[in-house]
């Protein structure tokens, strides 16, 4: 009995230690985010105004606003989701529900994992070479959407596959036992149950797409545009690339320093807003299913 109590006591100590490490990691992350937000608010809030949010840049981008950048980032992010979600969810359904276990399946999953680790600038060069040049989309919103869609595709596939694996097998067995086909089971039973997990992957992908610079600097972004785009075959301004330009390639870098911080603050707020909407929708799905 004493030996068992000792083992239980050791397990509790180990568990408490591990939970303590996790709490410390969460606290460090929250602290870093808080410090970053405080720094940006202190340095960038002075330039936030209605004109800053609704007007295009003026006077060599030392004045004016960032409206074309906001619209461009929004279009690129949701365009990337339109590309990545159907391909990613379809790929995950095949890998988890239809593919036979074996060497080929292991190679496919290895390729997906490797693709997730490829630097974003490589995707940018791929988008320039294939979509812009080979398919003649030019440097445009459409090219950027496909480039960011392929960039976020591994995250969507992995998150969707894990969500499908988490659905109990009894759901599938009950549906098949009632006479449903395999596709009816997947479409009407498995996918609704896995939807919250799928949306988690979509949220992560959306955040990554909205904050990418290297992937769009060759495929979609333009240095300056005084008006909103009227076609998907036109290049766009984007918040991450605009920050990069102001910080490294502007004519008066020090003069635009407050604009850099203000643009960064707007980018983070935009990402928070899009994530909040996605998280709210995911919570409703979790309650429903």
């Amino acid at each position: 009995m004493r030996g068992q109590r000792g083992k239980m006591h050791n397990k509790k100590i180990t568990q408490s230690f591990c939970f303590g490490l996790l709490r410390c990691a969460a606290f460090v992350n929250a602290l870093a985010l808080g410090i970053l937000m405080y720094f940006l608010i202190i340095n960038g809030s002075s330039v936030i105004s209605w004109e800053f949010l609704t007007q295009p840049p003026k006077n060599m981008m030392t004045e004016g606003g960032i409206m074309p950048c906001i619209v461009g980032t929004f279009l690129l992010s949701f365009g990337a989701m339109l590309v990545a979600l159907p391909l990613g969810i379809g790929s995950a359904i095949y890998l988890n529900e239809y593919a036979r276990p074996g060497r080929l399946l292991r190679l496919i999953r290895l390729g997906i994992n490797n693709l997730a680790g490829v630097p974003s600038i490589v995707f940018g060069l791929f988008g320039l070479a294939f979509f812009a040049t080979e398919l003649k989309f030019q440097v445009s919103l459409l090219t950027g959407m496909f480039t960011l869609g392929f960039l976020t595709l591994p995250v969507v596939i992995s998150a969707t596959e894990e969500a499908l694996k988490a659905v109990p097998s009894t759901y599938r067995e009950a549906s098949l036992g009632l006479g449903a086909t395999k596709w009816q089971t997947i479409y009407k039973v498995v996918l609704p149950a896995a939807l919250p997990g799928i949306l988690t992957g979509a949220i992560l992908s959306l955040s990554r797409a909205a904050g990418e610079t290297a992937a769009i600097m060759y495929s979609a972004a333009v240095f300056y545009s005084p008006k909103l785009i009227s076609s998907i075959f036109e290049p766009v301004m984007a918040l991450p690339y605009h920050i990069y330009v102001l910080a490294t390639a502007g004519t008066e870098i020090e003069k635009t320093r407050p604009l850099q911080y203000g643009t960064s603050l707007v980018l983070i707020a935009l990402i928070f807003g899009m994530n909040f909407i996605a998280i709210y929708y995911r919570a409703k799905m979790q309650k429903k299913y």
Side-chain angles (χ1 to χ4, degrees), residues 23-264:
R23 292 189 186 98
C24 287
F27 175 76
V28 169
N29 283 324
L31 181 63
L33 178 61
I35 293 173
L36 175 63
M37 291 299 300
Y38 175 78
F39 179 78
L40 291 177
I41 290 172
I42 291 298
N43 291 279
S45 59
S46 60
V47 302
I48 303 296
S49 65
W50 182 249
E51 179 186 1
F52 183 71
L53 297 175
T54 59
Q55 297 296 321
K58 302 175 183 177
N59 194 16
M60 300 299 292
M61 294 195 297
T62 60
E63 298 175 0
I66 56 172
M67 183 60 178
C69 306
I70 295 174
V71 174
T73 300
F74 184 85
L75 292 176
L76 284 170
S77 301
F78 279 90
M81 291 299 96
L82 291 177
V83 174
L85 285 180
L87 292 175
I89 293 174
S91 300
I93 290 175
Y94 169 75
L95 293 175
N96 192 74
E97 304 293 334
Y98 290 100
R100 295 180 180 179
R103 180 178 298 178
L104 179 60
L105 184 60
R106 290 195 298 269
L107 288 175
I108 292 174
R109 285 183 172 143
L110 178 62
I112 293 171
N113 293 332
N114 288 336
L115 195 64
V118 173
S120 58
I121 194 169
V122 176
F123 283 95
L125 293 173
F126 167 76
L128 175 64
F130 184 69
F131 297 116
T133 305
E134 189 68 24
L135 298 183
K136 302 186 185 305
F137 291 163
Q138 305 302 322
V139 175
S140 62
L141 172 63
L142 184 62
T143 300
M145 289 164 53
F146 276 106
T147 301
L148 290 177
F150 278 67
L151 173 68
T152 57
L153 188 58
V155 178
V156 176
I157 293 175
S158 300
T160 302
E161 192 173 3
E162 291 302 320
L164 293 174
K165 289 180 180 178
V167 177
S169 59
T170 51
Y171 284 27
R172 298 173 176 84
E173 294 168 358
S175 177
L176 293 172
L178 291 173
T181 64
K182 188 174 182 64
W183 171 243
Q184 288 175 331
T185 298
I186 294 171
Y187 179 69
K188 295 185 177 181
V189 177
V190 178
L191 279 180
L195 190 57
I198 296 173
L199 288 178
T200 299
I203 293 170
L204 295 174
S205 302
L206 185 65
S207 301
R208 185 177 182 186
E212 278 296 336
T213 303
I216 62 172
M217 65 189 304
Y218 298 119
S219 60
V222 66
F223 183 85
Y224 171 71
S225 177
K227 59 183 179 65
L228 300 179
I229 67 168
S230 57
S231 170
I232 59 174
F233 294 101
E234 294 180 6
V236 296
M237 295 186 72
L239 290 170
Y241 187 66
H242 188 62
I243 296 169
Y244 167 77
V245 169
L246 290 178
T248 62
T251 56
E252 299 182 60
I253 293 177
E254 290 302 323
K255 186 176 180 180
T256 62
R257 192 74 69 189
L259 298 178
Q260 299 169 30
Y261 292 128
T263 306
S264 301

Side-chain angles (χ1 to χ4, degrees), residues 2-18:
R2 290 182 179 179
Q4 291 180 349
R5 289 179 180 176
K7 289 181 179 179
M8 290 294 295
H9 181 68
N10 291 336
K11 287 182 178 179
K12 288 182 178 180
I13 292 176
T14 304
Q15 179 177 295
S16 300
F17 177 74
C18 292

